[in-house]
């Protein structure tokens, strides 16, 4: 199977059957995000434990397949990670989507990186980049206790 087809398949799978599409019980951080250009909405719920580890993360929302797949893959990958690792993964992902060839963090294993690289296909479509990055910016807002709605146009 070609890499492009594999990427497509993973996105379709996550878009159709999003993981962690629910509301975390007893979450202690959350944030909402909106992408007006496409109409994507996401609400991220995060539960950090006393060691600043992501005990649980989930999301609710609606939008296009890319935005849902991105939130699904993101929540899957950051669960169980420490807060500072999550921040590093987020920055690495955003750099990759914007300009870098690949991912550079040492936190994710190769399988996990492959899942993230699926989203690299949107790089050539600036409108779709916002769909792919919405949940990531919103996760950053949640971690930083930023209460306003995260808007991809601001
Ligand atoms: Zn979208």
């Amino acid at each position: 199977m070609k890499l492009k087809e594999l990427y497509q398949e993973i996105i379709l799978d996550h878009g159709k059957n999003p993981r962690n599409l629910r509301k975390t019980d007893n979450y202690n951080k959350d944030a909402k995000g909106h992408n007006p250009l496409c109409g994507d909405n996401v609400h991220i719920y995060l539960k950090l434990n006393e060691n600043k580890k992501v005990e649980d993360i989930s999301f609710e929302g609606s939008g296009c397949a890319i935005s849902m797949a991105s939130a699904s893959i993101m929540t899957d990958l950051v669960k169980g990670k420490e807060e500072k690792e999550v921040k590093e993964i987020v920055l690495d992902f955003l750099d990759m989507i914007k300009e870098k060839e690949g991912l550079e963090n040492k936190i994710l294993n190769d399988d996990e990186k492959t899942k993230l690289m699926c989203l690299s296909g949107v790089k050539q479509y600036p409108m779709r980049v916002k769909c792919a990055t919405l949940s990531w910016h919103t996760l950053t807002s949640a971690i930083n206790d930023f209460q306003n709605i995260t808007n991809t146009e601001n």
Side-chain angles (χ1 to χ4, degrees):
M1 194 189 289
K2 285 195 192 122
L3 198 56
K4 209 176 160 186
E5 288 166 11
L6 171 69
Y7 284 177
Q8 207 85 43
E9 196 156 289
I10 296 174
I11 288 185
L12 278 176
D13 174 42
H14 278 268
K16 268 191 214 151
N17 307 297
R19 322 296 197 268
N20 310 304
L21 182 60
R22 57 185 165 75
K23 188 174 177 179
T24 296
D25 291 330
N26 306 316
Y27 63 89
N28 45 27
K29 291 187 180 277
D30 77 307
K32 285 181 186 171
H34 178 51
N35 171 17
L37 291 181
C38 180
D40 308 314
N41 286 298
V42 70
H43 193 164
I44 306 274
Y45 302 97
L46 197 62
K47 189 177 180 188
L48 286 181
N49 68 17
E50 60 275 20
N51 301 318
K52 293 229 162 200
K53 230 181 196 174
V54 179
E55 198 173 301
D56 194 29
I57 178 168
S58 62
F59 74 102
E60 291 178 324
S62 58
C64 66
I66 297 284
S67 67
M68 292 295 104
S70 185
S72 173
I73 292 169
M74 179 190 80
T75 51
D76 240 9
L77 294 187
V78 305
K79 201 184 284 181
K81 305 285 191 296
E82 286 172 30
E83 185 183 14
K84 63 176 194 315
E85 294 177 324
V86 174
K87 286 181 177 172
E88 197 179 324
I89 294 167
V90 170
L91 285 179
D92 196 22
F93 173 77
L94 292 176
D95 281 349
M96 183 277 285
I97 280 287
K98 272 180 237 148
E99 54 194 2
K100 273 189 325 198
E101 196 66 26
L103 296 161
E104 288 168 3
N105 76 78
K106 306 255 188 297
I107 300 156
L108 300 175
N109 64 36
D110 286 347
D111 272 1
E112 293 172 323
K113 283 183 180 170
T114 301
K115 280 190 194 156
L116 268 191
M117 287 306 289
C118 296
L119 296 161
S120 64
V122 305
K123 283 166 104 154
Q124 42 195 315
Y125 311 101
M127 296 274 285
R128 307 309 273 169
V129 166
K130 297 184 177 182
C131 301
T133 56
L134 173 65
S135 56
W136 297 77
H137 289 302
T138 308
L139 172 58
T140 302
S141 296
I143 287 175
N144 295 327
D145 295 314
F146 183 70
Q147 285 306 312
N148 294 336
I149 293 177
T150 303
N151 189 313
T152 51
E153 295 313 292
N154 295 336

